[in-house]
Amino acid sequence: MTPQAADESETVVAGRRSKLTPEREREFFDAALDQIRECGYDALSMEGIAASTKCSKSTLYRQWKTKPQFVAAALRANHRPRLADIDTGSLAGDLRAAARAAGERSDDDTKLVQALGHAVMQDPELQCALRDALIEPERAALREMLQRAVDRGEIAADHPALEFVPAQLLGMIRVRPVLEGRYADADYLVRYVDAALIPALGLPEVT
């Protein structure tokens, strides 16, 4: 079957169903996010995604009316919380484990955030999708870690540093590339937790 025939066939099939398969959607979304990381949001086009995934443009536009809607859907589908299951039994242990987990993919996530930068500020839907996919799940997980520590009596609920912990840890991931031209990898983030967060919270060091 020729590429044109394949496109026409997929268009006909897509017209007969209300949704694409999850596997096919994932293929579209992965292609879009990879292209954004590599070339930036402005360089992304529905035509380019159609060509790279061997589908027709009408297939994409039938499911997602605009590029921002498509990218927002891709971001939300990329939601893979990495900190939600961390529970070592101590806040210091949780923070170090969170630092390792966050550092393992900080380069991919940071590239995506940087590539979306201006577009995110101009489009509320993209901004909301980015927060839903990459920020809120990790903030929620960190807040749960802090609440568990309070419930255990490990730290006072009114400790002044508690409210800043999510911003400090997640912010360091975003700011290191700007300040030093290097991504905040797992080793860097664990050292940051040991040197800055644990002392600020008055916690015993993890041995």
Side-chain angles (χ1 to χ4, degrees):
M1 181 181 294
T2 67
Q4 181 178 357
D7 284 354
E8 291 173 352
S9 175
E10 181 164 1
T11 300
V12 171
V13 172
R16 293 173 181 166
R17 64 191 179 199
S18 59
K19 291 182 64 177
L20 298 167
T21 66
E23 294 76 17
R24 191 62 165 143
E25 279 193 348
R26 170 58 64 185
E27 186 179 354
F28 294 150
F29 293 155
D30 287 347
L33 297 181
D34 286 345
Q35 186 172 328
I36 290 171
R37 291 187 186 99
E38 185 67 26
C39 306
Y41 176 82
D42 290 341
L44 179 74
S45 69
M46 300 291 265
E47 291 79 3
I49 296 301
S52 66
T53 57
K54 297 181 174 60
C55 77
S56 66
K57 289 187 294 182
S58 61
T59 298
L60 298 179
Y61 281 112
R62 185 176 291 109
Q63 300 292 327
W64 305 281
K65 304 302 182 185
T66 67
K67 184 172 86 168
Q69 288 181 10
F70 175 54
V71 174
L75 288 169
R76 290 192 169 99
N78 194 54
H79 175 178
R80 301 168 188 171
R82 292 178 294 280
L83 310 185
D85 296 329
I86 292 174
D87 186 356
T88 67
S90 73
L91 181 54
D94 286 352
L95 291 174
R96 296 181 94 248
R100 283 192 294 270
E104 288 174 358
R105 281 182 51 86
S106 68
D107 53 346
D108 281 349
D109 288 350
T110 301
K111 285 178 183 177
L112 193 56
V113 172
Q114 290 173 335
L116 287 166
H118 180 69
V120 165
M121 298 309 297
Q122 298 299 312
D123 191 295
E125 184 175 7
L126 277 179
Q127 186 174 120
C128 183
L130 183 65
R131 289 175 61 83
D132 288 348
L134 299 182
I135 299 172
E136 285 304 323
E138 313 304 19
R139 286 185 64 199
L142 288 168
R143 287 195 295 265
E144 288 181 10
M145 291 177 193
L146 299 174
Q147 186 59 53
R148 286 199 303 268
V150 170
D151 294 342
R152 287 192 297 262
E154 192 176 355
I155 191 168
D158 60 352
H159 193 293
L162 282 180
E163 69 172 299
F164 300 109
V165 170
Q168 287 177 295
L169 183 56
L170 300 178
M172 188 58 64
I173 296 173
R174 306 293 175 243
V175 78
R176 193 190 190 198
V178 177
L179 294 179
E180 301 180 18
R182 302 169 64 186
Y183 291 112
D185 59 15
D187 176 71
Y188 179 86
L189 291 175
V190 169
R191 288 191 292 110
Y192 172 71
V193 165
D194 286 345
L197 290 188
I198 287 177
L201 293 167
L203 301 174
E205 297 184 3
V206 177
T207 58

